[in-house]
Amino acid sequence: MAVYTEVTDEALEAFLELYDLGTLVSFRGIAEGVENSNYMLKTTQGDFILTLYEKRVNPEDLPYFLGLMEHLQAHDLTCPLPVRARSGANLNPLSGKIAAITTFLPGVWPRRVGLEHCAPLGTALARLHLAGEGFAMTRANGLGPAAWGPLLAKCGHGADTVQPGLAAELGAWLPDIVGAWPADLPKGQIHADLFPDNVFFLGDELSGLIDFYFACTDFYAYDIAVCLNAWCFERDFSFNISRARALLMAYDAVRPLTPAERAALPVLAQGAALRFLLTRLYDWLNTPAGAMVTRKDPLDYYRRLRFHLQARNEHAYGL
C-alpha cells in the first residue's frame, strides 16, 4: 500500500454519498507497499480501506480482483470484502482514479517472522487455492516469465547504479530460469504476493489475508515459491529450512503436492525471486519524487536468488 493520489475532504465526502456507510469520521494515508494509493477510512459505521488504483493496475483486471475476494469470502476464506455502493457497483470514480472500499480486517502482520507463523501460512495458502476452485474468471500472470526480459530491459544500465555488474548478471541468469520453467503443473487462482505484510494475525491465530491486486491464474506451486522467498529467509539472508518445512508440510496436509510440483520448487523459487528483484529494481529507479511510498531494496532478492540458484532439488526446502 502507498499514497500517490491525494484525496481532499470534499472529494471524499462526495464519494461517500454513493454508499450506505454513514458519515466520515477520519481518514489517513497508508505508506506501506508500492502499487496503489490506500487510506484508512473510519465512518460512523466502522473501519474500512479506501483504494485508488494507480497506473500499473489495468482497469480491466479490477472486476477479477474484487470478484475473487467476494468468491473467497463466500467460501470461508477471510479476506477483505468489497463494499458495494447503493447502485450495486463496487468501483466508482474518485479524484481522477477508479476507487473501491473494502472491509477492514483486524489483526497485525508479523514484523519479525518466526517458525510459529509458517504452518498457519501454509494452511491458509492451501485453503486459498482450494477456495478459488469454481471461480469462473481468469487472469493471466502479467508478471510471469514472459514479462521478466522486457522489465530488465526497461531498467537498462540503471541496474548497475544499484550494484556494479548487476545488469549483466541478471541477463545471464534470466534465460536459464525461463528455459527451465515448467509447462504443466496444477494451476488455479493464486495470490502471487503473499508477503508478511499481507497476512494478519491475532495472537497466534492467522486472522486473514489482504491485498489481492496481483492475484492471477497460475501454478499453485509458484504461489508457494513466492512465500518461500518472503517468509523463509533470516535478516542476514540465510535460508531457514525449518520455516520452509513447516510451511510446506502444513500446505501439503490440506492440498497434497504432486511429485512434479515438488521437483519444480527450485526453479519456481528462482523465478519468484527474479520477479520481485526486477519489480523492486524498476520501482527503485522510477518511483516519483515526493510519493508517499516506502521503496524496497532490490538487492534483498538478489541475495535470495543466489541461494535458489544453488538448490538442487526439493530437499533444499525441507521436503
Side-chain angles (χ1 to χ4, degrees):
M1 296 181 178
V3 174
Y4 298 97
T5 300
E6 296 292 338
V7 177
T8 66
D9 290 352
E10 295 78 12
L12 181 58
E13 287 171 356
F15 182 75
L16 288 176
E17 289 178 1
L18 301 174
Y19 296 82
D20 288 316
L21 290 177
T23 56
L24 177 64
V25 174
S26 66
F27 78 112
R28 62 176 176 80
I30 302 172
E32 292 173 338
V34 296
E35 291 302 318
N36 301 308
S37 294
N38 288 272
Y39 292 87
M40 276 291 303
L41 172 66
K42 178 183 283 291
T43 76
T44 50
Q45 290 194 13
D47 295 324
F48 303 90
I49 299 292
L50 169 66
T51 300
L52 288 80
Y53 300 101
E54 301 293 345
K55 60 183 179 180
R56 185 180 280 178
V57 176
N58 183 347
E60 295 180 358
D61 290 333
L62 293 175
Y64 169 87
F65 297 142
L66 300 185
L68 179 61
M69 285 189 274
E70 291 176 335
H71 176 90
L72 295 174
Q73 267 278 4
H75 290 77
D76 297 323
L77 187 95
T78 304
C79 66
L81 183 65
V83 177
R84 292 186 176 269
R86 295 188 188 96
S87 67
N90 54 20
L91 293 164
N92 289 288
L94 173 61
S95 299
K97 303 290 171 65
I98 299 172
I101 296 174
T102 58
T103 54
F104 174 81
L105 294 188
V108 294
W109 63 270
R111 266 60 178 180
R112 189 177 184 95
V113 173
L115 181 61
E116 69 275 13
H117 297 114
C118 293
L121 171 69
T123 299
L125 185 63
R127 290 186 59 237
L128 186 161
H129 293 162
L130 294 178
E133 294 178 356
F135 182 57
M137 301 178 72
T138 61
R139 175 181 178 266
N141 185 354
L143 289 170
W148 301 337
L151 192 53
L152 179 58
K154 287 181 181 178
C155 295
H157 294 297
D160 293 335
T161 67
V162 176
Q163 176 171 284
L166 182 60
E169 217 168 0
L170 297 179
W173 291 335
L174 189 150
D176 290 341
I177 296 170
V178 173
W181 203 251
D184 188 20
L185 294 177
K187 68 190 305 184
Q189 314 311 327
I190 70 170
H191 188 284
D193 192 39
L194 205 55
F195 278 63
D197 58 355
N198 289 330
V199 181
F200 285 180
F201 286 80
L202 283 171
D204 295 332
E205 299 293 324
L206 192 151
S207 59
L209 310 178
I210 68 167
D211 200 353
F212 284 78
Y213 298 114
F214 286 106
C216 56
T217 310
D218 205 340
F219 299 144
Y220 294 131
Y222 175 73
D223 223 8
I224 298 171
V226 170
C227 291
L228 289 172
N229 274 283
W231 293 77
C232 298
F233 284 85
E234 299 288 357
R235 293 187 176 184
D236 64 357
F237 302 103
S238 60
F239 187 71
N240 188 318
I241 197 169
S242 297
R243 287 190 211 161
R245 183 183 297 112
L247 190 165
L248 291 166
M249 296 303 289
Y251 182 98
D252 189 68
V254 177
R255 182 193 161 267
L257 293 164
T258 68
E261 288 177 306
R262 289 168 173 255
L265 281 178
V267 70
L268 293 173
Q270 293 166 23
L274 182 61
R275 172 264 190 259
F276 286 102
L277 194 167
L278 289 171
T279 51
R280 287 184 174 198
L281 178 62
Y282 180 86
D283 289 339
W284 189 267
L285 298 172
N286 293 281
T287 296
M292 184 182 167
V293 57
T294 304
R295 293 193 307 172
K296 297 179 179 178
D297 187 352
L299 294 181
D300 289 357
Y301 272 80
Y302 171 83
R303 298 177 179 101
R304 288 167 167 85
L305 176 55
R306 290 185 67 89
F307 168 82
H308 298 306
L309 289 169
Q310 301 302 315
R312 293 181 177 274
N313 52 44
E314 67 267 33
H315 302 315
Y317 303 101
L319 289 178

